[in-house]
Amino acid sequence: MNDIKLVLKEQFQNFGIIKRISTYEEKATYQSHYLGLMWQFLNPAIQVGIYYLVFGLGVNGGRQVDGVPFIVWMLMGIITWFFLNSSILGMSNSIYRQVGMVSKMKFPVSVLPSVNMASNFVSYRWMMLLLIIAMFIAKVPITIYWLQYFYYFICMIAFLFSFGILNATITVLVRDYHIMLQSVLRLLFYLSGPIWNLHTMGQFKGRDSLVRLLELNPLYYIINGFRDSFLSRQWFWEIGSQTIFFWLLVLILLALGSHLHMKFRARFVDFI
């Protein structure tokens, strides 16, 4: 518990530093590109176009999903997935990539994963603006369910930080872990529901049990939660078992990640 308190305390005390470093990294990454920071919007937008052609027009045949055009339904999931995927991979490699530099300064290494997550917010905000425009064109009604967005946004940040501090620590200790994580995320892309509806898969023996198992995936919980909010489908307390499992998992990841981080961070440079 003390490890959790210390790690969280370092995030709040260094919030300004996190924001400044993330802003610097955004500019440094794209400073040699003609379009600069526009690539943070253009890159995911191009990927959205490709997925829509393949899964929206190809596989789905342009049919509506949950009463809205497929492109709107897909955007609700794919935008969240882009942020989750880029943050998980970036946070996993954050300490390994920069620990040599920060070890020479009075700097809390635990904020490095948060810096990477903050850097991805620019792209996320642009894509959310695109989603709002798409929902406006599709005449998706604004209801009180939309307030639930803030709950699932907190869920997303809590999960990313808990999983990120754990991944970042393990990556320093076992370098192969980052490569394995990339492969796992490629699989989770198809098991988390950003581009297809798990509940409309074909009938086969054990289908219902498989769906219930896949619903325990924290990435699915977050992605489906945003759809529940914007499509006014249900409140998070109506899926109580999934909600309880999600927060238990977040607490376990946070406790384990904080403990490992505090135990080994004094020797990170030695492992690298």
Side-chain angles (χ1 to χ4, degrees), residues 41-80:
F41 170 76
L42 291 175
N43 187 44
I46 293 171
Q47 293 183 64
V48 166
I50 295 173
Y51 286 131
Y52 177 67
L53 288 175
V54 175
F55 295 97
L57 299 181
V59 177
N60 195 59
R63 294 184 296 271
Q64 290 192 343
V65 181
D66 290 334
V68 297
F70 181 84
I71 183 63
V72 176
W73 183 89
M74 185 185 73
L75 281 173
M76 294 176 183
I78 204 74
I79 290 172
T80 306

Side-chain angles (χ1 to χ4, degrees), residues 20 83 100-101 114 140 153 158 164 267 269:
R20 287 194 295 272
F83 182 69
M101 176 187 68
S114 297
V140 177
F153 183 81
R267 293 187 289 153
V269 176

Side-chain angles (χ1 to χ4, degrees), residues 166-180:
L166 175 63
N167 289 335
T169 302
I170 296 178
T171 297
V172 174
L173 304 178
V174 183
R175 186 57 185 155
D176 293 345
Y177 179 80
H178 182 72
I179 299 176
M180 182 192 71

Side-chain angles (χ1 to χ4, degrees), residues 219-232:
L219 302 181
Y220 172 82
Y221 177 81
I222 296 169
I223 291 172
N224 197 58
F226 283 123
R227 288 194 176 121
D228 285 342
S229 303
F230 290 128
L231 297 177
S232 307

